[in-house]
Amino acid sequence: MPELPEVETTLRGIAPHLAGQRIKDVIIRHPQLRWPVPAELPRLLRGQTIRALRRRAKYLLLEFEHGTLLLHLGMSGSLRILPAGTPATQHDHFDLVLASGKLLRLRDPRRFGAVLWHEGDTDEPPQGVRRGVPRRVAATLSQHPLLKNLGPEPLQKDFDAEHLYRATRKRSAAIKLVIMDNRVVVGVGNIYANEALFRAGIRPTLAANKLSRPRCAKLVETIKQVLKEAIQQGGSTLRDFVHSDGSSGYFQQHYFVYGRTGEPCHKCGTPIKQIKQGQRSSFYCPQCQK
Ligand SMILES: [Zn+2]
């Protein structure tokens, strides 16, 4: 599954090809993704210019003057920049054809990805007025049903020790489940939760509200660290992840605990344990993580 680092890598790969580009055409080959791809997209986007691209959690946001296109890669999606006219194969469900002679193509064999349109302002404008026109509050992107309950971005400043400390005080659930909860912080998938907890010396099963302030600070630091490293390495988890430039190579990360059941801990040699938490596998060193 593409995790936050893959989505960020994808954004960085495609953005230079898309920013400032005019849409020549929109091709919907298979509208049945996680939700139906809006049939009116070609009419809405032809002739419009992509003003900017952003990421929020694992959503890629393509901003236009009159609204935002939300893309999600789901379980198996990937985006590539290709020359216009490149023949589509079975799982190529959606193309944005650009005036530059290139296209952005969504490939998604399992079809859990999403292509959605949000009409209206892209962000909170100052003072509730933009270019003299009163705005409709309901149309702000941050209030979109898929975005409005999301916690802070893990790599931004508002995800800090104080935030995690406050978010965990009334939670007796296991700390691993809490950091994987999008309302607490977005984009901490299973691999990164396991690795961050190991580096912080925290056992995944520890009740969240038992975490001291210094340990919250340590965990915030290691979450940022593992995500930054993965982004630097260009994303890691999807076997057939295809980079946006079309190359298929992906970097196999070095993990401390993830997938290493029974193997010796890199720090102390104790065999790594594996348990189930919320349907997902957790890996930890019983010696190093308390
Ligand atoms: Zn150990």
Side-chain angles (χ1 to χ4, degrees):
M1 185 189 306
E3 296 284 358
L4 185 137
E6 282 82 2
V7 180
E8 179 67 26
T9 302
T10 298
L11 173 70
R12 293 178 187 188
I14 65 175
H17 300 278
L18 296 180
Q21 276 296 317
R22 197 164 46 80
I23 304 296
K24 199 173 161 192
D25 204 0
V26 178
I27 299 168
I28 304 168
R29 289 190 198 83
H30 203 310
Q32 297 308 319
L33 300 183
R34 180 159 183 192
W35 298 284
V37 178
E40 66 272 25
L41 270 186
R43 178 178 62 76
L44 287 167
L45 294 186
R46 268 186 212 126
Q48 300 290 331
T49 298
I50 303 169
R51 297 197 308 185
L53 292 94
R54 292 193 291 134
R55 179 185 59 73
R56 177 72 175 111
K58 293 204 286 181
Y59 291 93
L60 292 166
L61 309 174
L62 277 61
E63 298 178 358
F64 294 84
E65 180 69 32
H66 59 320
T68 301
L69 191 68
L70 290 83
L71 302 176
H72 196 285
L73 300 178
M75 305 287 285
S76 60
S78 62
L79 289 166
R80 280 171 298 161
I81 302 286
L82 297 165
T86 303
T89 56
Q90 189 189 356
H91 302 297
D92 295 335
H93 305 312
F94 178 82
D95 290 352
L96 281 183
V97 186
L98 308 167
S100 64
K102 291 176 180 166
L103 58 79
L104 175 74
R105 176 163 288 169
L106 173 68
R107 178 182 156 81
D108 187 1
R110 295 182 64 184
R111 291 198 268 117
F112 281 103
V115 178
L116 296 168
W117 176 248
H118 174 79
E119 185 93 32
D121 284 340
T122 52
D123 236 326
E124 307 286 342
Q127 308 306 319
V129 173
R130 187 164 139 180
R131 288 182 300 277
V133 181
R135 46 184 289 278
R136 292 172 318 202
V137 173
T140 56
L141 184 62
S142 58
Q143 290 307 305
H144 190 282
L146 293 170
L147 305 182
K148 68 178 179 184
N149 293 321
L150 294 177
E153 287 287 328
L155 296 177
Q156 287 185 1
K157 285 203 180 93
D158 53 350
F159 177 59
D160 60 10
E162 194 54 34
H163 171 82
L164 187 61
Y165 187 73
R166 267 190 268 118
T168 48
R169 286 317 86 188
K170 288 179 181 168
R171 304 279 298 260
S172 56
I175 183 62
K176 179 169 179 252
L177 301 180
V178 172
I179 59 173
M180 291 180 69
D181 180 346
N182 269 336
R183 293 166 299 182
V184 174
V185 56
V186 300
V188 182
N190 194 37
I191 291 174
Y192 303 106
N194 277 299
E195 292 295 303
L197 286 164
F198 174 80
R199 292 189 193 195
I202 297 167
R203 198 171 285 210
T205 50
L206 182 71
N209 57 10
K210 293 266 164 50
L211 214 57
S212 67
R213 215 179 272 262
R215 297 189 92 195
C216 283
K218 182 69 183 163
L219 182 53
V220 165
E221 185 192 314
T222 60
I223 287 172
K224 289 179 191 276
Q225 203 178 62
V226 294
L227 290 172
K228 275 186 197 159
E229 286 175 13
I231 290 168
Q232 276 167 8
Q233 289 159 356
S236 61
T237 57
L238 190 66
R239 195 182 298 274
D240 62 351
F241 180 75
V242 177
H243 287 280
S244 50
D245 64 2
S247 69
S248 60
Y250 78 102
F251 194 94
Q252 179 61 56
Q253 273 182 284
H254 167 84
Y255 298 128
F256 279 104
V257 287
Y258 184 80
R260 298 194 62 243
T261 314
E263 292 176 39
C265 168
H266 288 315
K267 273 190 188 163
C268 74
T270 304
I272 299 298
K273 276 198 166 181
Q274 179 179 355
I275 54 168
K276 281 274 182 204
Q277 284 183 288
Q279 327 290 339
R280 311 295 300 271
S281 291
S282 296
F283 306 88
Y284 68 96
C285 171
Q287 183 66 32
C288 295
Q289 291 172 263
K290 305 285 182 192

